[in-house]
């Protein structure tokens, strides 16, 4: 009886651990972190062929946390900005979790 109870508790603890860290281990989460780490810097902007994405990346690099976005910038790039903000949040959560803070 003790063995069955011990096995049951071990399985329960294992499942609860993986359930609470499911977000941390998902493929989407790792893909988001990878995209944020490899996001283009000022030098890489020249290699982007799509002019809309190139302009939005340039605005994101220049304006984020420095100034408000203009209405035109938000109209054109709001979807890209949302994705980039989520990638940044995923990266920050990942780094805080690795340091044992979060």
């Amino acid at each position: 009886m003790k063995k069955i109870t011990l096995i049951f508790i071990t399985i329960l603890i294992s499942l609860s651990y993986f359930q609470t860290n499911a977000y941390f281990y998902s493929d989407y989460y790792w893909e988001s972190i990878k995209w944020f780490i490899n996001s283009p810097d000022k030098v890489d902007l020249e290699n982007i062929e799509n002019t809309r994405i190139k302009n939005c990346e340039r605005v994101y690099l220049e304006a984020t946390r420095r100034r408000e976005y203009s209405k035109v910038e938000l109209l054109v790039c709001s979807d890209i900005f949302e994705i980039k903000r989520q990638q940044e949040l995923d990266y920050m959560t990942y780094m805080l979790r690795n340091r044992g803070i979060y």
Side-chain angles (χ1 to χ4, degrees), residues 48-100:
I48 299 174
E49 295 177 9
N50 187 329
T51 55
R52 178 179 176 260
I53 294 174
K54 180 190 280 188
N55 184 43
C56 292
E57 290 284 351
R58 182 187 55 76
V59 168
Y60 188 81
L61 287 172
E62 292 175 356
T64 303
R65 290 185 284 284
R66 292 184 181 93
R67 65 173 173 85
E68 293 291 324
Y69 298 116
S70 70
K71 290 181 181 177
V72 174
E73 291 170 346
L74 286 174
L75 182 66
V76 174
C77 302
S78 63
D79 56 337
I80 293 174
F81 293 161
E82 283 183 42
I83 292 168
K84 295 201 65 72
R85 275 189 229 110
Q86 184 60 49
Q87 290 172 349
E88 187 174 3
L89 286 172
D90 290 341
Y91 177 75
M92 290 167 50
T93 304
Y94 168 74
M95 291 306 295
L96 291 173
R97 191 176 202 104
N98 278 349
R99 294 179 182 153

Side-chain angles (χ1 to χ4, degrees), residues 20-63:
T20 58
N21 291 314
Y23 175 73
F24 190 64
Y25 293 116
S26 75
D27 291 334
Y28 171 79
Y29 181 74
W30 287 110
E31 188 77 19
S32 177
I33 292 169
K34 185 178 80 171
W35 276 102
F36 180 75
I37 291 172
N38 296 323
S39 62
D41 58 3
K42 213 169 192 179
V43 176
D44 296 332
L45 289 177
E46 299 167 6
N47 300 332
I48 299 174
E49 295 177 9
N50 187 329
T51 55
R52 178 179 176 260
I53 294 174
K54 180 190 280 188
N55 184 43
C56 292
E57 290 284 351
R58 182 187 55 76
V59 168
Y60 188 81
L61 287 172
E62 292 175 356

